[in-house]
Amino acid sequence: MKTKFLLFVIAIFGAVNLSFSQNVDGYKYHGTDGNVSLYYKQSEYGVTFRAVNKRDKAVYVKVMNVVSKWSNGKTRQKDVNIGFVGSNRASNGGGLNTDNYAKIKSWTFDGWKWSEKAFIE
């Protein structure tokens, strides 16, 4: 019984640790600024951005003016707020698609920035 419980605790800890890890498998590198790196991954239904923070302090990351064109003829424009990224951690942001069946055709963005203070909308 103790062994099963210990294995359960280790599995949970491993899953939590993996979810906050700096793993970027499947993501494409965009760039680095001050030990904060931006990656992205495109699927049929949208784009996910991943910020990796290798600084000693937490940061907030925003991808500005993301413009996406969709198979249903719509064009969307928004800032993608990745938000809080802990020290030596990674975090994701995305949410470009609000239609269940439209597929992304193309997308661009103007730039990205990070700050030690939250961005005020």
Side-chain angles (χ1 to χ4, degrees):
M1 183 72 166
K2 287 183 180 181
T3 304
K4 287 183 181 180
F5 180 73
L6 182 59
L7 287 174
F8 176 74
V9 170
I10 290 171
I12 294 295
F13 180 73
V16 168
N17 193 31
L18 182 61
S19 70
F20 290 108
S21 74
Q22 296 181 11
N23 185 351
V24 290
D25 290 344
Y27 287 84
K28 293 184 180 180
Y29 174 75
H30 174 73
T32 300
D33 178 31
N35 287 335
V36 179
S37 299
L38 182 68
Y39 296 81
Y40 63 90
K41 182 188 326 185
Q42 180 179 344
S43 70
E44 284 186 295
Y45 299 101
V47 177
T48 302
F49 294 95
R50 185 166 183 86
V52 177
N53 177 14
K54 294 188 178 179
R55 297 172 48 85
D56 292 335
K57 293 183 179 180
V59 298
Y60 297 83
V61 178
K62 179 183 277 194
V63 183
M64 291 146 339
N65 195 34
V66 180
V67 178
S68 54
K69 297 184 180 189
W70 298 86
S71 61
N72 62 1
K74 293 183 180 180
T75 298
R76 294 184 182 82
Q77 180 178 353
K78 69 183 258 186
D79 290 342
V80 174
N81 193 7
I82 296 174
F84 181 82
V85 186
S87 174
N88 292 307
R89 299 284 186 200
S91 190
N92 290 357
L96 296 179
N97 193 5
T98 56
D99 292 337
N100 290 335
Y101 301 107
K103 295 181 180 180
I104 195 165
K105 293 175 74 176
S106 65
W107 62 278
T108 61
F109 66 97
D110 287 346
W112 65 285
K113 60 186 175 180
W114 64 268
S115 172
E116 290 182 359
K117 296 182 179 181
F119 296 105
I120 298 173
E121 297 294 321

